[in-house]
Amino acid sequence: MPSLKANINLQPFNTFNIKAKAANYLAFSSVESLNDYFQAYAELPFLVLGGGSNLLFKKDFPGTVLHNQILGIKTQDLAGDFVLVEAGAGENWHDFVQWCINQGFGGLENLSLIPGKVGAAPIQNIGAYGVELKDVFHSLTAYDIQNRKLIELDSKACDFGYRYSRFKGDWKGRFIITNVTFKLSTANHQLNTSYGAITKALAPKQTITIRSIADAVIQIRQSKLPDPIELGNAGSFFKNPIISQEEFDRIQAKYPSIPNYTAGGKYVKVPAGWLIDQCGWKGKRFGSTGCYEKQALVIVNYGAATGQEIWAFAQQLIASVEEKFGITLEPEVNVIGD
Ligand code: FAD
Ligand code: EPU
């Protein structure tokens, strides 16, 4: 029977730097230890923890925090210019991306410097600078808690969408991702420089490579997102809302400068950061929380904020955007303790 640690402080394990406790805690580095755990403690509520960079603890967690530490990277050459790269779910995402770039494997460079672990990346289909995980995803292995065995899932099964996968839908709480496999290129890379800011950062460069894209992305991110080591945060607090073309036209008639991206069909994605900024919240501080000065979509913890305080502040932002634009923002961050 695995021995659980009791009453563990989760503050070092969440990038919001919120004080919260887990009734029990188990770090696991193999499927065997997961099996042992569920055989002994199937009835306890559990929370799988990666790097804690997309979590907000509103309360202490009354069950077991299962902390993923499964490591290892394996490669398998494919015919043509491709390679399969499988990473343990406990690998640090950014380090893994840099390792791939150093091997000359292309595909993940635009996703440099996203905090967290490999195993959480499929959960919300992480995305940045014109690329989403699904674009280079091959398959994943997950521990099925219901049947207590490993299962392999492909992209179709995962049903990836914008900041969405089936793990956030009807599969919530059913699987623990243990490994993720990516299909990357070894030559003739399809470089993606479509995102405006990247094109700008790369303009003076002669040859564009996977490394120069990664460097540009790192530089842009460092210039507008707070480093969680210095200022607690979980990146974008809300998802960018996707609204109908008619609703967009109505808003654009009043606010002609509203940035927008096509979301397929008759839908338009608008930046939540712009909406919050227009409501005047950017850089405003209230006690220990507030909106980051360079990006209104990032709620920060100046040091002593509680999860409840951050949540209450987020509700004010929702109400304000609702009132001005008639759009209801939805959290991207996973809220624990609802
Ligand atoms: P955690 O926060 O530990 O967990 C997130 C969720 O996934 C939880 O529900 C957890 O239970 C579940 N989970 C974690 N691991 C597993 C597993 N192995 N099996 C099953 N469930 C699991 N995200 C983007 O998409 N794009 C960005 O550009 C981006 N930028 C960010 C910038 C900053 C400064 C910060 C702080 C965050 C940013 N994020 C971004 C959000 C975050 O980094 C990602 O969502 C990341 O994938 C979360 O990884 P994690 O290991 O920290 O997950
Ligand atoms: N904007 C403002 N004011 C602000 C913030 C943004 O006017 O305070 C405007 C910008 O000028 C720009 C637009 O809004 O025109 C979009 O801003 P930005 O390029 O910073 O990107 P974003 O839409 O706010 C999204 C992701 C980020 C990802 C970046 C880059 C979501 C919810 N967020 O942010 O992901 O890194 O694009 O691709 O989709 C995360 O998920 O945690 C995250 C950081």
Side-chain angles (χ1 to χ4, degrees), residues 48 50-54 68 115-117 120 123-124 126-127 163 177 221 235:
V48 189
S53 64
N54 210 14
N68 193 330
K117 304 271 177 93
I123 301 290
Q124 72 160 13
I126 57 168
R163 296 296 189 270
I177 296 172
R221 294 184 68 97

Side-chain angles (χ1 to χ4, degrees), residues 53-54 114 124 127-131 162-163 195 197 221 224-225 234-240 259-261 269-278 282 292-298 332:
S53 64
N54 210 14
I114 297 181
Q124 72 160 13
Y129 300 97
V131 172
Y162 165 64
R163 296 296 189 270
Y195 205 91
R221 294 184 68 97
K224 55 174 165 185
L225 292 168
S236 301
F237 194 91
F238 301 102
K239 291 187 275 192
N240 285 337
N260 58 93
Y261 318 93
K269 194 196 272 180
V270 293
W274 185 88
L275 298 170
I276 298 167
D277 192 355
Q278 291 294 307
K282 190 170 174 174
Y292 188 51
E293 59 188 355
K294 297 179 196 161
Q295 211 334 337
L297 188 50
V298 180
E332 177 196 294

Side-chain angles (χ1 to χ4, degrees), residues 54 120-127 132-134 155-172 239 242 269 330-332 334:
N54 210 14
I123 301 290
Q124 72 160 13
N125 176 31
I126 57 168
E132 287 184 342
L133 167 125
K134 72 173 170 56
S155 190
K156 191 160 181 278
C158 295
D159 191 24
F160 293 120
Y162 165 64
R163 296 296 189 270
Y164 178 79
S165 75
R166 211 170 157 190
F167 303 104
K168 292 186 82 175
D170 64 325
W171 279 351
K172 200 170 164 59
K239 291 187 275 192
I242 293 173
K269 194 196 272 180
E330 286 174 18
E332 177 196 294
N334 299 279

Side-chain angles (χ1 to χ4, degrees), residues 120-197:
I123 301 290
Q124 72 160 13
N125 176 31
I126 57 168
Y129 300 97
V131 172
E132 287 184 342
L133 167 125
K134 72 173 170 56
D135 301 329
V136 282
F137 177 87
H138 176 269
S139 57
L140 61 77
T141 310
Y143 179 78
D144 179 351
I145 292 148
Q146 238 169 50
N147 299 317
R148 307 254 174 91
K149 62 176 192 197
L150 285 180
I151 178 171
E152 198 178 318
L153 298 165
D154 64 10
S155 190
K156 191 160 181 278
C158 295
D159 191 24
F160 293 120
Y162 165 64
R163 296 296 189 270
Y164 178 79
S165 75
R166 211 170 157 190
F167 303 104
K168 292 186 82 175
D170 64 325
W171 279 351
K172 200 170 164 59
R174 166 142 181 215
F175 295 105
I176 298 178
I177 296 172
T178 58
N179 292 277
V180 187
T181 303
F182 301 89
K183 187 179 173 189
L184 304 178
S185 60
T186 50
N188 300 313
H189 308 296
Q190 290 289 316
L191 301 175
N192 186 330
T193 56
S194 59
Y195 205 91

Side-chain angles (χ1 to χ4, degrees), residues 308-322:
Q308 297 281 1
E309 244 174 290
I310 287 174
W311 186 243
F313 180 62
Q315 297 315 301
Q316 283 185 265
L317 302 184
I318 293 174
S320 188
V321 168
E322 175 95 55

